[in-house]
Amino acid sequence: MYLLSVETSCDETAAAIIRDDGHVLSDVVASQIALHTEYGGVVPEIASRAHLERILPVIDQALHQAKISLSDLNAVAVTYTPGLAGSLLIGLMAAKTLAALLHIPLIALDHLRSHIYACKIANKTEVFPCVGLIVSGGHTNLYRCQTPLDFTLLGTTIDDAAGEAFDKVAAMLGLPYPGGPSIQKAAENGDKNRYAFPRAFIHDKNRLDFSFSGLKTAVRYQLMGTGHQDFSKHEWDAQTISDISASFQEAVIDILATKVRHALRATSMNTLCLGGGVAANSALRQRLEADAKRYHYRFYTAPLSLCTDNAVMGAIAWELYRAGHFASLELDILPGRVRN
Ligand code: KG4
Ligand code: ZN
């Protein structure tokens, strides 16, 4: 049996064909990074229009690479939450149209659960039950993941997402978008102990929420003092940029790694699955790998192509299919954050 998985929640137009035994026949991602770079972030209207132009060619390419045709499909899965409204709509309309035309089931995907499921796909092993940590441009969520169908939110950010903090600090430093990879690179030559940036709630074991806004402000004050000043008028020497990057990155990693330990203890679980764009950060991976050995937990993540947005992680749809969780053609997008 063949599944078409469609993902358009942010700025990647993606489609994949996945067999019911999990085998991936095709994996197509049309990135829009080049379209948004000059604006220093994703512009929702541009993203939506680009999805509209690309969605049919991307689906065609996924079918072509898989060497199957539309009539071979047994189900179509699509991300309906969370994400940018105009972006989610394009994928959803395409998927609903195909489900209606082909008389096949429609499966509704929660993008954040798909990010965790990427760990199971990448490692080809059972990862549930686990604590799931999603760190992306839009989310910083800790979950208790009992099964692929049973997630409970343990903590989330009360202000900025981790990736957003990377992007904003990079912009302050004049580093190119997307900020995460730029900060990671600059941090390689930096001293992570030069600046002692704040780590919000880090000692509060009962609070699994995150806050990155104070950290971002601390970087700003370190760079420019407390007055209102224009970043574009400032230039810092390469060593300062590297040291700020390394110290900031270390603060984020410290916060994430510590909250993970609190979540593992609170849930009595011993497996961590890490997903989302910030999971691409090599210093974060190294820290969690070291912590996993030191504190005796299993740590799973995925290669970069499965951490950033893609349609392959929509393979979670087969779990929903087998459990009979089908969506109606009335399915609508749910752009905001879901609380569970
Ligand atoms: O999951 P994702 O591709 O898109 C969504 O936000 O849904 O995540 C993008 C975020 C951006 O904020 C980007 O700066 C961050 O992931 N990111 C990184 C790295 N690569 C991407 N952050 C830190 N280090 C990285 N190497
Ligand atoms: Zn994502």
Side-chain angles (χ1 to χ4, degrees), residues 230-296:
D230 183 354
F231 289 109
S232 60
K233 299 209 173 75
H234 285 260
E235 272 184 22
W236 290 278
D237 62 279
Q239 197 56 53
T240 302
I241 290 177
S242 287
D243 291 347
I244 291 266
S245 296
S247 303
F248 161 79
Q249 179 175 274
E250 184 64 12
V252 175
I253 292 173
D254 223 11
I255 295 166
L256 296 175
T258 307
K259 291 288 166 193
V260 158
R261 289 210 319 277
H262 293 167
L264 288 165
R265 197 169 311 128
T267 54
S268 304
M269 286 179 171
N270 62 359
T271 304
L272 169 70
C273 283
L274 174 73
V278 182
N281 187 280
S282 51
L284 173 63
R285 286 168 178 250
Q286 280 161 19
R287 167 70 180 269
L288 291 173
E289 269 157 26
D291 273 15
K293 285 201 187 86
R294 187 162 165 206
Y295 299 104
H296 310 291

Side-chain angles (χ1 to χ4, degrees), residues 3 34 69 79 84 102 108 130 180 188 261 270 277 288 309 312 318:
L3 167 82
S69 61
T79 306
L84 299 171
L102 302 170
C130 64
E188 281 167 14
R261 289 210 319 277
N270 62 359
L288 291 173
D309 289 345
V312 170
W318 282 122

Side-chain angles (χ1 to χ4, degrees), residues 169 173 191-200 202 214-223 240-252 254-255:
V169 167
L173 292 170
D191 173 3
K192 63 183 182 186
N193 299 316
R194 177 159 169 203
Y195 302 103
F197 290 133
R199 285 121 161 99
I202 200 163
L215 170 58
K216 184 187 66 189
T217 308
V219 171
R220 183 194 163 100
Y221 287 172
Q222 182 63 51
L223 284 169
T240 302
I241 290 177
S242 287
D243 291 347
I244 291 266
S245 296
S247 303
F248 161 79
Q249 179 175 274
E250 184 64 12
V252 175
D254 223 11
I255 295 166

Side-chain angles (χ1 to χ4, degrees), residues 148-172:
L149 307 179
D150 179 7
F151 278 51
T152 315
L153 188 69
L154 298 170
T156 186
T157 178
I158 61 166
D159 41 55
D160 293 350
E164 202 176 347
F166 269 97
D167 293 337
K168 287 178 179 168
V169 167
M172 286 183 212

